[in-house]
Amino acid sequence: MTADAFEHSSDPAAQQEAAPAAERAAERRRMVEWHLEARGIRDRRVLDAMGSVPREAFLPPALARDAYADSPLPLGGGQTISQPYIVALTAEAAGLRPGDRVLDVGTGSGYAAAVYAAIVGEVWSVEFVPELADDARRRLAAAGVHDVHVVTGDGTLGLEQHAPFDAILAAAAGPDIPRPWIDQLAEGGRIVMPLERSAGWQQLVRVTKHGSDVTVDDLGAVRFVPLRGAHGTG
Ligand code: SAH
């Protein structure tokens, strides 16, 4: 679907960079095998979703050929599209299931939101930077992804009107778990987010809500852009 939209693009740069859909699909299968399964991602739903979402559709055309390298890539404005392994790890740690109500904070390109939507169905995704939100809406539509709702605003406030969420997933690192996220989490719900531990060092954590209590599991060291906004770095 997306590869088609891409190949029919009137943008000459996009045409030049677009490889045949079959070639991209083969690269995507290799990514799932080498970068995800080989590194311990086991959840079949996550592997299938990562194997179905065309990452090249969320990149500037000049970077399409790098779509299946397992690295973050620049989106412009100092922002990045998340590394495939980290998207998969986040989705697996959150235990996403079909029908879960998901809030994604930091839409960026829209890629991670599209992966989560391939597992759960509808996703609410909040992006701070209006231009990035507009681009993400355009890319998601071009990729045929219609169940991601991109909202422009401060994701640290959550999205009260669509709460409670089974999972809140963040792609930007804050100093603390934003209080509105805990309040807007369903019983048994999970937050997966990077926490800033010291300068240049972050830890991906999973927070699970049990009544008025939470448990926190460490998922390892990571590197994300800063989480801005009222309950972020400001
Ligand atoms: N998951 C994205 C990558 C996101 S990069 C992808 O797959 O492409 C992190 C994003 O978080 C950036 O776009 C940044 O603008 C956004 N961001 C930072 N603070 C935010 C906040 N408080 N609310 C919403 N978005 C925020």
Side-chain angles (χ1 to χ4, degrees):
M1 57 181 175
T2 312
D4 268 5
F6 220 51
E7 274 156 38
H8 298 153
S9 162
S10 57
D11 176 354
Q15 279 173 356
Q16 203 183 353
E17 295 293 338
E23 205 175 302
R24 293 285 186 236
E27 288 174 0
R28 195 153 57 240
R29 278 195 297 278
R30 282 198 292 277
M31 173 194 77
V32 169
E33 206 174 306
W34 296 350
H35 299 313
L36 308 182
E37 291 190 85
R39 292 175 69 189
I41 302 294
R42 291 283 172 268
D43 188 327
R44 198 64 252 167
R45 290 186 177 102
V46 173
L47 295 169
D48 288 348
M50 296 293 296
S52 74
V53 176
R55 192 168 183 249
E56 66 275 17
F58 296 90
L59 288 170
L63 292 175
R65 67 162 71 104
D66 300 322
Y68 297 104
D70 190 40
S71 64
L73 292 167
L75 283 180
Q79 301 302 332
T80 54
I81 176 171
S82 301
Q83 177 187 357
Y85 173 71
I86 295 293
V87 174
L89 180 65
T90 300
E92 183 172 74
L96 297 185
R97 295 284 173 269
D100 274 357
R101 190 178 265 275
V102 171
L103 175 65
D104 169 51
V105 178
T107 313
S109 67
Y111 172 68
V115 170
Y116 306 149
I119 302 171
V120 303
E122 257 185 340
V123 168
W124 296 92
S125 184
V126 187
E127 172 55 51
F128 204 77
V129 180
E131 297 75 30
L132 286 177
D134 289 343
D135 284 354
R137 283 188 198 100
R138 190 177 45 70
R139 287 178 173 134
L140 287 159
V145 178
H146 302 296
D147 36 16
V148 173
H149 309 290
V150 178
V151 177
T152 306
D154 177 4
T156 68
L157 302 173
L159 266 188
E160 191 143 35
Q161 63 277 36
H162 298 292
F165 296 101
D166 298 300
I168 300 179
L169 310 174
D176 268 312
I177 306 158
R179 183 72 229 182
W181 295 3
I182 297 176
D183 294 341
Q184 294 176 28
L185 209 54
E187 174 61 23
R190 290 83 55 202
I191 296 169
V192 179
M193 72 173 296
L195 281 178
E196 196 76 56
R197 291 302 195 195
S198 62
W201 191 76
Q202 303 163 1
Q203 192 178 26
L204 193 66
V205 297
R206 173 182 49 211
V207 177
T208 309
K209 181 168 172 173
H210 315 277
S212 56
D213 223 356
V214 296
T215 52
V216 181
D217 300 302
D218 172 15
L219 305 172
V222 287
R223 207 171 166 78
F224 282 87
V225 301
L227 179 67
R228 297 155 72 182
H231 300 266
T233 54

